[in-house]
Amino acid sequence: GQGGKHVDDPYFLQPMEGVDGTGYRASWWTQFYCILWRSWLSVLKDPMLVKVRLLQTAMVASLIGSIYFGQVLDQDGVMNINGSLFLFLTNMTFQNVFAVINVFSAELPVFLREKRSRLYRVDTYFLGKTIAELPLFIAVPFVFTSITYPMIGLKAGVSHYLVTLFIVTLVANVSTSFGYLISCA
């Protein structure tokens, strides 16, 4: 390139002078909307992946539910419930970490090119991508908890179920964020 600008690189978009005080081609909201839309289309592009993840979750939940089916609150039952809760957390953790561990490495060349061209900021990319995948990362804990909770015989009541669902969903989303961290590293 000449003078630090990649004039000979046809894939490098030259910065536009005076477009925005930040140096980006669009406002934060426009960047966010475009990334969100592109990420959402990417999620919808592969519906089989979504179906497989949900089916896998339902099968693992059914397996765990049948192993710990109908626990009673005695000495052995409490130990078994502890084991089932451990499996709740480890399943949600590892399933979500490994689901996203290769996400950024696959998109890295496109991301770097578009970032260098100042098409969007890193925060808009991350938020758009995360929010586009959020429905799946809420559906998976919902399916898992809805199957295992009644099968194991955990504490009855909608409020107890909802608290469990909330905690499992938080664990799943924290695990997803940890997977993103590993993917970035």
Short mmCIF file of all heavy atoms in Angstrom, two decimals, residues 1-26:
data_model
loop_
_atom_site.label_atom_id
_atom_site.label_comp_id
_atom_site.label_asym_id
_atom_site.label_seq_id
_atom_site.Cartn_x
_atom_site.Cartn_y
_atom_site.Cartn_z
N GLY A 1 0.83 -1.19 0.00
CA GLY A 1 0.00 0.00 0.00
C GLY A 1 0.86 1.24 0.00
O GLY A 1 2.05 1.20 0.27
N GLN A 2 0.27 2.37 -0.27
CA GLN A 2 0.98 3.64 -0.32
C GLN A 2 0.57 4.49 0.86
O GLN A 2 -0.61 4.68 1.11
CB GLN A 2 0.65 4.38 -1.61
CG GLN A 2 1.06 3.61 -2.85
CD GLN A 2 0.46 4.22 -4.10
OE1 GLN A 2 -0.55 4.91 -4.02
NE2 GLN A 2 1.07 3.97 -5.23
N GLY A 3 1.54 4.99 1.59
CA GLY A 3 1.26 5.91 2.70
C GLY A 3 0.44 5.28 3.81
O GLY A 3 -0.36 5.94 4.44
N GLY A 4 0.59 3.96 4.02
CA GLY A 4 -0.15 3.30 5.09
C GLY A 4 -1.56 2.91 4.69
O GLY A 4 -2.24 2.25 5.43
N LYS A 5 -2.01 3.32 3.52
CA LYS A 5 -3.35 2.94 3.07
C LYS A 5 -3.21 1.81 2.07
O LYS A 5 -2.35 1.84 1.20
CB LYS A 5 -4.08 4.13 2.44
CG LYS A 5 -4.34 5.21 3.44
CD LYS A 5 -5.20 6.29 2.85
CE LYS A 5 -5.43 7.37 3.91
NZ LYS A 5 -6.51 8.24 3.57
N HIS A 6 -4.08 0.84 2.19
CA HIS A 6 -4.01 -0.35 1.35
C HIS A 6 -4.74 -0.09 0.03
O HIS A 6 -5.78 -0.65 -0.26
CB HIS A 6 -4.64 -1.54 2.08
CG HIS A 6 -3.99 -1.83 3.39
ND1 HIS A 6 -2.95 -2.72 3.50
CD2 HIS A 6 -4.20 -1.33 4.63
CE1 HIS A 6 -2.56 -2.77 4.75
NE2 HIS A 6 -3.30 -1.94 5.47
N VAL A 7 -4.15 0.74 -0.79
CA VAL A 7 -4.77 1.14 -2.05
C VAL A 7 -4.85 -0.04 -3.00
O VAL A 7 -5.82 -0.22 -3.71
CB VAL A 7 -3.99 2.30 -2.70
CG1 VAL A 7 -4.57 2.66 -4.05
CG2 VAL A 7 -3.98 3.50 -1.78
N ASP A 8 -3.82 -0.92 -2.97
CA ASP A 8 -3.79 -2.03 -3.90
C ASP A 8 -4.62 -3.22 -3.43
O ASP A 8 -4.77 -4.19 -4.15
CB ASP A 8 -2.34 -2.46 -4.15
CG ASP A 8 -1.58 -2.77 -2.86
OD1 ASP A 8 -2.10 -2.43 -1.78
OD2 ASP A 8 -0.48 -3.35 -2.95
N ASP A 9 -5.16 -3.18 -2.23
CA ASP A 9 -5.98 -4.27 -1.71
C ASP A 9 -7.44 -4.02 -2.07
O ASP A 9 -8.08 -3.12 -1.50
CB ASP A 9 -5.81 -4.35 -0.18
CG ASP A 9 -6.47 -5.58 0.42
OD1 ASP A 9 -7.19 -6.29 -0.33
OD2 ASP A 9 -6.27 -5.84 1.61
N PRO A 10 -8.00 -4.80 -2.98
CA PRO A 10 -9.38 -4.53 -3.42
C PRO A 10 -10.42 -4.83 -2.34
O PRO A 10 -11.55 -4.38 -2.44
CB PRO A 10 -9.56 -5.47 -4.62
CG PRO A 10 -8.57 -6.58 -4.39
CD PRO A 10 -7.42 -5.95 -3.66
N TYR A 11 -10.04 -5.58 -1.30
CA TYR A 11 -11.00 -5.93 -0.26
C TYR A 11 -10.99 -4.95 0.91
O TYR A 11 -11.77 -5.07 1.83
CB TYR A 11 -10.72 -7.34 0.27
CG TYR A 11 -10.83 -8.38 -0.80
CD1 TYR A 11 -9.70 -8.99 -1.31
CD2 TYR A 11 -12.06 -8.72 -1.34
CE1 TYR A 11 -9.79 -9.93 -2.31
CE2 TYR A 11 -12.17 -9.65 -2.34
CZ TYR A 11 -11.04 -10.26 -2.82
OH TYR A 11 -11.14 -11.18 -3.82
N PHE A 12 -10.10 -3.99 0.87
CA PHE A 12 -10.00 -3.01 1.95
C PHE A 12 -10.76 -1.76 1.55
O PHE A 12 -10.48 -1.15 0.53
CB PHE A 12 -8.52 -2.67 2.22
CG PHE A 12 -8.34 -1.84 3.44
CD1 PHE A 12 -8.29 -2.42 4.69
CD2 PHE A 12 -8.23 -0.46 3.35
CE1 PHE A 12 -8.12 -1.66 5.82
CE2 PHE A 12 -8.06 0.31 4.48
CZ PHE A 12 -8.01 -0.30 5.73
N LEU A 13 -11.76 -1.43 2.34
CA LEU A 13 -12.54 -0.23 2.06
C LEU A 13 -11.83 0.97 2.68
O LEU A 13 -11.48 0.95 3.85
CB LEU A 13 -13.95 -0.37 2.65
CG LEU A 13 -14.78 -1.52 2.07
CD1 LEU A 13 -16.06 -1.67 2.86
CD2 LEU A 13 -15.07 -1.26 0.61
N GLN A 14 -11.65 2.00 1.90
CA GLN A 14 -10.96 3.19 2.38
C GLN A 14 -11.87 3.97 3.33
O GLN A 14 -13.07 4.05 3.12
CB GLN A 14 -10.57 4.09 1.20
CG GLN A 14 -9.58 3.43 0.25
CD GLN A 14 -8.28 3.07 0.95
OE1 GLN A 14 -7.79 3.84 1.77
NE2 GLN A 14 -7.74 1.91 0.64
N PRO A 15 -11.30 4.53 4.41
CA PRO A 15 -12.12 5.35 5.31
C PRO A 15 -12.69 6.56 4.58
O PRO A 15 -12.03 7.15 3.73
CB PRO A 15 -11.13 5.79 6.39
CG PRO A 15 -9.93 4.93 6.23
CD PRO A 15 -9.92 4.42 4.83
N MET A 16 -13.90 6.87 4.90
CA MET A 16 -14.55 8.03 4.27
C MET A 16 -14.31 9.24 5.16
O MET A 16 -14.57 9.19 6.37
CB MET A 16 -16.04 7.76 4.09
CG MET A 16 -16.31 6.62 3.13
SD MET A 16 -18.04 6.13 3.08
CE MET A 16 -18.79 7.61 2.48
N GLU A 17 -13.82 10.29 4.60
CA GLU A 17 -13.50 11.48 5.37
C GLU A 17 -14.77 12.24 5.76
O GLU A 17 -15.67 12.40 4.94
CB GLU A 17 -12.59 12.41 4.54
CG GLU A 17 -11.28 11.77 4.11
CD GLU A 17 -10.41 11.37 5.29
OE1 GLU A 17 -10.45 12.05 6.32
OE2 GLU A 17 -9.69 10.36 5.18
N GLY A 18 -14.83 12.68 7.00
CA GLY A 18 -15.90 13.55 7.47
C GLY A 18 -17.27 12.91 7.60
O GLY A 18 -18.26 13.60 7.72
N VAL A 19 -17.35 11.60 7.59
CA VAL A 19 -18.65 10.94 7.69
C VAL A 19 -19.15 10.97 9.12
O VAL A 19 -20.29 11.27 9.40
CB VAL A 19 -18.57 9.49 7.17
CG1 VAL A 19 -19.84 8.74 7.48
CG2 VAL A 19 -18.31 9.49 5.68
N ASP A 20 -18.27 10.66 10.06
CA ASP A 20 -18.67 10.55 11.45
C ASP A 20 -17.47 10.98 12.30
O ASP A 20 -16.33 10.73 11.93
CB ASP A 20 -19.04 9.09 11.74
CG ASP A 20 -19.64 8.89 13.11
OD1 ASP A 20 -19.61 9.83 13.92
OD2 ASP A 20 -20.16 7.79 13.38
N GLY A 21 -17.73 11.61 13.42
CA GLY A 21 -16.65 12.05 14.30
C GLY A 21 -15.85 10.89 14.84
O GLY A 21 -14.68 11.04 15.20
N THR A 22 -16.46 9.70 14.91
CA THR A 22 -15.75 8.53 15.43
C THR A 22 -14.92 7.85 14.36
O THR A 22 -14.12 6.99 14.68
CB THR A 22 -16.75 7.51 16.01
OG1 THR A 22 -17.61 7.06 14.94
CG2 THR A 22 -17.57 8.10 17.13
N GLY A 23 -15.15 8.19 13.10
CA GLY A 23 -14.42 7.55 12.02
C GLY A 23 -15.10 6.33 11.46
O GLY A 23 -14.57 5.67 10.58
N TYR A 24 -16.28 6.01 11.96
CA TYR A 24 -17.02 4.86 11.45
C TYR A 24 -18.00 5.31 10.39
O TYR A 24 -18.43 6.46 10.35
CB TYR A 24 -17.76 4.15 12.59
CG TYR A 24 -16.82 3.43 13.51
CD1 TYR A 24 -16.40 4.00 14.70
CD2 TYR A 24 -16.33 2.17 13.17
CE1 TYR A 24 -15.52 3.35 15.53
CE2 TYR A 24 -15.45 1.51 14.00
CZ TYR A 24 -15.05 2.09 15.17
OH TYR A 24 -14.17 1.44 15.99
N ARG A 25 -18.37 4.39 9.52
CA ARG A 25 -19.24 4.71 8.39
C ARG A 25 -20.70 4.87 8.78
O ARG A 25 -21.48 5.39 8.00
CB ARG A 25 -19.13 3.62 7.34
CG ARG A 25 -17.74 3.52 6.76
CD ARG A 25 -17.64 2.32 5.85
NE ARG A 25 -16.32 2.21 5.29
CZ ARG A 25 -15.96 2.71 4.12
NH1 ARG A 25 -16.84 3.34 3.40
NH2 ARG A 25 -14.73 2.59 3.70
N ALA A 26 -21.08 4.38 9.96
CA ALA A 26 -22.48 4.44 10.39
C ALA A 26 -22.55 4.68 11.88
O ALA A 26 -21.57 4.49 12.61
CB ALA A 26 -23.19 3.13 10.03
#
